[in-house]
Amino acid sequence: TSKVEDQKENTTQKNKKILKVTDTFSVDGINFKLLQNGDQAELKTEAKDRVVKGNIKLSPPCYFLKLNGKVQSFAYPNVKVAHTLIVLGDTVGTDVKKYFGFDENDDFSRICGEGIQGILIKKDSVIVTERVLDGGFRCVDPGTDEKDYWDFAHRRETYKQTRNPKYR
């Protein structure tokens, strides 16, 4: 083969991204899929009657926060939010888990991360919040306090803290 053909093949190999479904959830007839597309996280929805706004800003893989194995969701009718979901990303390894208090009695296979982002389900739309909270430590299960759900539903201004590279 020629050098041009070799370069073409290498470029094609490098540009191919592996699309992987990391988590799924269904509510109110809407199917959600969290995807890992190379080094980007994506949210795909199957919703005929709702417009999707916003993008996942967290590093993949990403997961919905759960409590006892079930995706957590809270409604806030006062701001017309039928469901508030939270996505966990910026996942961490063993060293960071130890830093945050994991010891030999803990399950190190639990998925934990340092960033969360809200998904708001309204009557006519699905909104991925601009706001990302990072620098904390949470695990997929048992999720987080309701105050974080309330915060995403009620405070949607653009807000992003600087990422702390100390624990990476």
Side-chain angles (χ1 to χ4, degrees):
T1 61
S2 72
K3 286 186 178 181
V4 173
E5 288 173 350
D6 288 342
Q7 285 176 336
K8 196 173 189 180
E9 186 175 318
N10 288 338
T11 302
T12 304
Q13 291 293 331
K14 287 179 187 174
N15 291 339
K16 282 186 181 176
K17 292 183 180 178
I18 299 171
L19 198 61
K20 178 182 174 186
V21 176
T22 56
D23 208 351
T24 60
F25 180 64
S26 295
V27 66
D28 288 351
I30 307 168
N31 297 318
F32 293 93
K33 285 183 187 176
L34 288 171
L35 304 171
Q36 181 174 349
N37 188 354
D39 61 353
Q40 297 292 315
E42 295 179 7
L43 175 70
K44 294 290 179 199
T45 61
E46 294 174 13
K48 297 174 188 171
D49 59 343
R50 290 186 174 89
V51 175
V52 179
K53 302 171 185 173
N55 296 305
I56 301 290
K57 296 180 177 184
L58 304 168
S59 298
C62 293
Y63 304 88
F64 293 108
L65 289 186
K66 298 173 175 75
L67 181 61
N68 299 321
K70 293 183 180 183
V71 173
Q72 286 183 289
S73 171
F74 292 93
Y76 300 100
N78 62 320
V79 289
K80 299 179 181 165
V81 174
H83 300 277
T84 305
L85 310 174
I86 294 182
V87 174
L88 174 89
D90 301 344
T91 54
V92 298
T94 302
D95 290 343
V96 176
K97 289 176 184 175
K98 285 180 182 176
Y99 177 85
F100 281 103
F102 271 51
D103 62 26
E104 65 275 353
N105 298 322
D106 287 307
D107 178 3
F108 280 87
S109 68
R110 285 176 50 202
I111 299 166
C112 304
E114 294 181 302
I116 58 174
Q117 189 171 1
I119 298 175
L120 310 176
I121 303 167
K122 300 185 95 180
K123 181 179 172 184
D124 59 353
S125 61
V126 173
I127 301 166
V128 180
T129 64
E130 283 287 318
R131 193 157 189 253
V132 172
L133 299 178
D134 61 4
F137 178 81
R138 296 163 189 85
C139 295
V140 168
D141 202 334
T144 189
D145 294 333
E146 184 191 351
K147 67 181 180 192
D148 289 325
Y149 290 83
W150 186 96
D151 196 44
F152 279 120
H154 290 81
R155 295 187 350 161
R156 286 182 241 147
E157 71 275 9
T158 301
Y159 175 80
K160 188 164 182 341
Q161 297 175 344
T162 57
R163 300 217 180 262
N164 185 350
K166 182 177 177 182
Y167 309 119
R168 299 201 189 279

